[in-house]
Amino acid sequence: MSFVVAQSHFIFGVRTGVRNNLCFFDEQTVVFPSGNSCVCFNTVQRWQRFISGSERSQGMRAMTISSNRRYLAVSDYGERATVTVFDLQHEQGRKRKILSAGDMSVQEFICIAFSPDSKYLIGLTEGPEWMLILWLWEKHKLLATLKTPNTNNPVTQVSFNPYNNTQLCVSGTGVFKLFRYSEGALKQSSVAKVESINFLCHTWMSEHRVIAGTDTGRLLVFESGDLRREISMTSVQGQSARQVEVKKIKDANVDEGPSVPSITAILSYSKGFACSRGPGTVFLFEQTDESGYRKTREIKEDKLHFELLSQSFHSSSITGLSICIRKPLVATCSLDRSVRIWNYETKVLELYKEFQEEAYSVALHPTGLFILVGFSDRLRLMNLLIDDIRTFKEFTVRSCRECAFSNGGHMFAAVNGNIIQIYSVTSFDNILNLKGHNGKVCQIEWSLDDSRVVSCGVDGAVYEWNTQSGKRESESVLKSCSYTGVAFSSDCKTILAVGTDLTLKEIQDCQVLREVPADETAHTALAVSHSGRVVFTGTSSGTVRAIKYPLPIQKEWITYQAHSGPVTKMVITYDDQFLLTVSEDGCLLIWKIIDKEGRGLKSNKHIVHTEEILITKSDLEEKTQHMLEMKMRLEELQMENEYQLRLKDMNYNEKLRELSDNFVQQIGTLKTSQQAMKTEMEKQECENQQNSAELIMKHSKELKDLELSYSQKLIVEHEKYQDLEQKHQRMLEDYEKQLKSAEDRKIQAVEELTKMYEAKLQEKTQLLAQCQEDAEQKISVFKAIIKQAEEDEERKILEIQTNYEKKMKTEKQTNANLKGKNSIMAQKFISLQKRIDDRSADINKLKQERQRLLGLIRSLESDIEDLKRQISGHEKTSQDKDHIILCLKRKNQELEKLKFVLEFQLNELKQKTEPLQHDISVKKERISQLEEELIQTDKSNAQLKLTVSELKLKLKTRDKEMCKESQKVKDLETHLQRLKSDLHNCVSFIQEPKTLKDNIQMIYTRYVQQTERVERTNADDTVQKAVRHQCDRQERTVNGLKMRLVKSAEEHEKVYAKIMKENMTLIAEINELRKELHLARTQAKDVKAQLALLKKPKKSQPILEEAAYQDPKQLGVS
């Protein structure tokens, strides 16, 4: 076995023809098929992890990733199709399970999908027998299979319901079906009549709703498997929200006109769904209600909305591959009419250009600055510029299938049919024509010293040519074999060749020294390492083999899964670190060559890569002019910004002055109002104390008189109460007898009524059934009316929005006017406080009136006693008198309620006055704090202005020093470049010591004195660093002071806003107090009117009785 191992490192290319061939593993990693493996590509860190496919598979057909982003399923086709499940969380993508269709003969699965919980896996087989196969994949258990009856209509997609593990959706041409897994079988739940529609994709929006896209660019909505409506892709005119018209369609009318881009992909997200319609266009739809969707955005590739995750790849078979020694570049050409230059170290596409003809061969110059490309019409030599590939010489060589530069770069060989033509790179002359092949030449290669060229062809000949004389030095002809690849050994003594005879041959002196027999697969290309330890070969099945050198006698090699098609070319880099292979699948695969211990191979050559590139003089001049224009533009912008900053500083200073003046004026007005409030409060307190002392004396005298009078009245009323109780007992006995007789009558009446109503109930139940049928018909009509009403309401809502926007503008204007009125309201506040004092005086008056009302209550109670005596004397009018007694009791209760209400109002007024006094004291303290803060801000502003002016001067001096230092750096760079060029010239005189010594002495005399000057400047640099350090510290202080200024301005605005809010709250409280005053005055007037009526001279008792009979309600109110 070989001691050298190849490890897959990076791949450029995507495998087409795989269903769902792009999946996101996470936000930065993408999974896609490339070659014969799946690749996990990190788009940020640009690393790749390979998940190799199975050896026996003939290729991939479909792939899918689970909803938890852990498992990847890949379907391979062959004699027996399989589905392989990989664990992506494992570093090497460990295989979990390999699923098959059991005893059934299935060649390929065209679509696969995981369930939402990643437990089940569904697979759809290829026609003519379209079959669904359901696995419980973790237990390797086949749960159910189902054959679809539509043999002619191809199915394109199968998916699980994300809300239900057991429900499936299948769509295709004329097929849209829902299946459910129950009782160990897949059962069809619904079928839509869509025979003329070709569905390309679908997605689940909810548990019962699916949206599908067709090849005619239509979006159809299915509810529970039935076609409900269509979402139109055109936006509705006259609406700013770009609402999408949603129209109901019938199952029969589903034809659509041609020339419409098809919907190839559709995906749901939280707000709606996204779909692709045509190349480079994506539409975003959002859900408006339960059934409606509107198009919110249209993204096109032309508008630069998309960002490339990776560079573009070849889309067809790669026909040419070449590398150079001075740069880590790889050139490839393909039948897709493009030539691409890749960097195998940085893994980036450096250059790319498309041509009108197909490119058959490519060769890079050893310097990496020129490229030779063979087209169908001629051979072109082109320059590799910084951003373009431009031709500067054309050769009349048609359909050049092979070309190669010499290792020195002074010649190149090109194949013209069965002739090999050698040209000079300097004079472009045809130096030699090597004739001898009878068939097409497949490959040519130069020796290390460019003295020989080896070639092989379809005619079974391997020739070794002398490039000076043009003669053949050796030959090996085997007509039964058509050779496809040839190469020199590492020491250029032997030739290695592969062909259609399935063997690897080593040829020396026209004889085959060794043959390595192969298996059933043929070798198509080969590459020999420069260290001579290993030979790599590519096969027709896409695998790569590593064979130990010297060649073994037996079949001893290591096989690697690489490409999905035959390997066309392969090359090893000059430092033996990388192996590059290309194939008919359009992929470029980079292998890392290591030993078994994981270390890279050590090469004897030390290769230095250069960074020089070619650029035309016109492009350079354009770029320099553009740079100058940008610098001028920068300077202009800086001047404009400085001017605008000065203007803003002036404006802010003026605003600060205005604010400070306004605050000073407001503080003065508040002080004057505060002093006036103090004097008024002191006067009110003295008056309240005097009034309260007088009222206390009066209340004590009145209480004593009332106690004496009420004690006598209570004795008399107690005697009357006993007489009334006796009469009440007699009345109760009579009423009980009457109640018994009434109950007997009611029982009989109830029995008769139940019989009547039961008959009526039967009639009404029949009427109810008829009414329900009518109601259902009306409900269907009502729903249609509601839909029309909703459409009308949406239009009205737009009109109302416009009206309210106009009102908003007017209200903003009124708000501005109210701010002006606020200052007027502050003056009114002083006058309202005076009114509050007047109200406290009115409260005292109400207390006096309350005492008078208590006296009236007592007099009314004496009148009640007189009326009770009159009622006892009149036996005939006993019922009327009872009624009068009840009225009088109600009056008594209402008077007691009035008493309680008046006491409660007095307590509330006292509670309201106390917080007002507390608020006044708090506001006084707040005003004093604001005065102190204003003084401090004025002082800080003055200090900040001084510091800013000083720092501006220091910044100017620092800019001058920076300019000086930049000039010094430029001088040092030119000094270093000259020294490098002189040293480079000295390297050529390594074999001539005298001339080398003279050149080194010249360099010493030129540059040593200048280095001493540089050392002197280092001392000055330390001083300048100290100055810079101080400047940085001062800049930080300036920034800190600016932040303080901003904070102080924000605090001033907050204080002003608080004062405005407090004024508004005070105004609201004043308005409420006014209302309460108005209510209290009206109540006092009503009480006075009642008292005046009661004070009138009492008339005779019969007159009072008549008044009670006529209008008892009026007495209750009084």
Side-chain angles (χ1 to χ4, degrees), residues 327 364-365 367-371 382-385 612-614:
K327 290 185 179 182
L364 266 178
H365 195 268
T367 58
L369 301 174
F370 311 103
I371 190 170
M382 295 183 278
N383 286 324
L384 292 178
L385 302 177
E612 288 77 12
I613 52 172
L614 292 178

Side-chain angles (χ1 to χ4, degrees), residues 752-971:
E752 293 174 356
L753 287 167
T754 51
K755 292 177 181 179
M756 291 289 289
Y757 281 111
E758 283 175 357
K760 289 180 181 179
L761 269 169
Q762 292 177 356
E763 294 175 357
K764 288 183 178 180
T765 50
Q766 294 175 358
L767 290 168
L768 269 170
Q770 293 176 359
C771 289
Q772 284 177 354
E773 292 176 358
D774 296 332
E776 287 176 355
Q777 292 176 359
K778 288 178 181 179
I779 285 162
S780 62
V781 175
F782 183 66
K783 286 180 180 178
I785 293 163
I786 285 166
K787 287 181 180 178
Q788 292 178 356
E790 286 176 351
E791 291 175 356
D792 296 331
E793 283 175 359
E794 286 178 355
R795 292 173 185 171
K796 289 178 182 178
I797 285 161
L798 291 170
E799 292 176 359
I800 289 162
Q801 283 179 352
T802 53
N803 292 325
Y804 274 112
E805 285 175 355
K806 291 177 182 177
K807 287 179 181 179
M808 281 290 287
K809 290 178 181 178
T810 55
E811 285 178 357
K812 285 178 181 178
Q813 292 176 358
T814 54
N815 282 326
N817 295 325
L818 286 168
K819 285 179 181 178
K821 291 178 181 179
N822 192 14
S823 60
I824 297 164
M825 294 299 290
Q827 295 177 357
K828 291 181 179 179
F829 176 73
I830 297 163
S831 62
L832 287 168
Q833 285 180 346
K834 293 179 181 178
R835 292 181 183 178
I836 291 162
D837 298 330
D838 296 331
R839 186 179 176 184
S840 62
D842 293 332
I843 290 162
N844 294 322
K845 290 178 182 179
L846 287 168
K847 287 179 181 178
Q848 293 174 0
E849 287 175 357
R850 179 177 168 279
Q851 291 175 358
R852 291 175 187 174
L853 288 168
L854 290 169
L856 287 169
I857 289 161
R858 291 167 187 167
S859 63
L860 287 167
E861 286 175 353
S862 63
D863 293 332
I864 290 161
E865 291 173 357
D866 295 330
L867 290 167
K868 285 179 181 178
R869 289 172 186 171
Q870 289 176 2
I871 289 161
S872 63
H874 298 284
E875 292 178 356
K876 293 179 181 179
T877 59
S878 61
Q879 293 177 356
D880 298 331
K881 286 180 181 179
D882 290 334
H883 183 69
I884 292 163
I885 288 161
L886 290 168
C887 293
L888 290 168
K889 285 180 180 178
R890 287 174 186 171
K891 286 179 192 178
N892 195 4
Q893 288 174 0
E894 286 173 358
L895 288 167
E896 286 176 355
K897 288 177 183 178
L898 255 175
K899 180 181 176 183
F900 179 76
V901 168
L902 290 168
E903 287 176 354
F904 184 75
Q905 286 178 353
L906 282 168
N907 292 322
E908 282 183 346
L909 290 167
K910 285 179 182 178
Q911 290 174 1
K912 287 178 181 178
T913 52
E914 287 174 359
L916 287 169
Q917 290 176 358
H918 180 69
D919 291 334
I920 290 160
S921 61
V922 171
K923 286 175 183 177
K924 287 176 184 176
E925 292 175 357
R926 183 62 182 164
I927 289 158
S928 61
Q929 289 176 1
L930 288 169
E931 287 176 354
E932 291 175 358
E933 287 176 359
L934 277 170
I935 293 162
Q936 290 176 359
T937 51
D938 290 329
K939 290 178 181 178
S940 62
N941 285 330
Q943 290 176 357
L944 288 169
K945 286 176 183 177
L946 291 168
T947 53
V948 167
S949 61
E950 288 175 359
L951 290 167
K952 282 180 179 178
L953 293 170
K954 290 175 181 177
L955 282 169
K956 288 178 181 178
T957 55
R958 189 178 174 186
D959 289 332
K960 291 177 182 178
E961 290 173 358
M962 287 291 287
C963 293
K964 290 178 182 178
E965 287 177 357
S966 62
Q967 288 177 357
K968 289 178 182 178
V969 170
K970 288 177 182 177
D971 295 333

Side-chain angles (χ1 to χ4, degrees), residues 107 233 287 342 347 472 522 539 896:
Q107 292 184 352
M233 299 295 287
Q287 189 171 4
W342 314 86
K347 306 162 192 172
R472 278 185 287 186
T539 65
E896 286 176 355

Side-chain angles (χ1 to χ4, degrees), residues 130 198 250 411 479 544 569 573 582 624 657 744 808:
W130 302 91
N198 182 9
K250 295 181 180 178
M411 291 185 291
K479 292 183 179 181
V544 173
K569 299 285 180 184
T573 58
V582 294
T624 51
R657 288 173 187 172
D744 296 331
M808 281 290 287

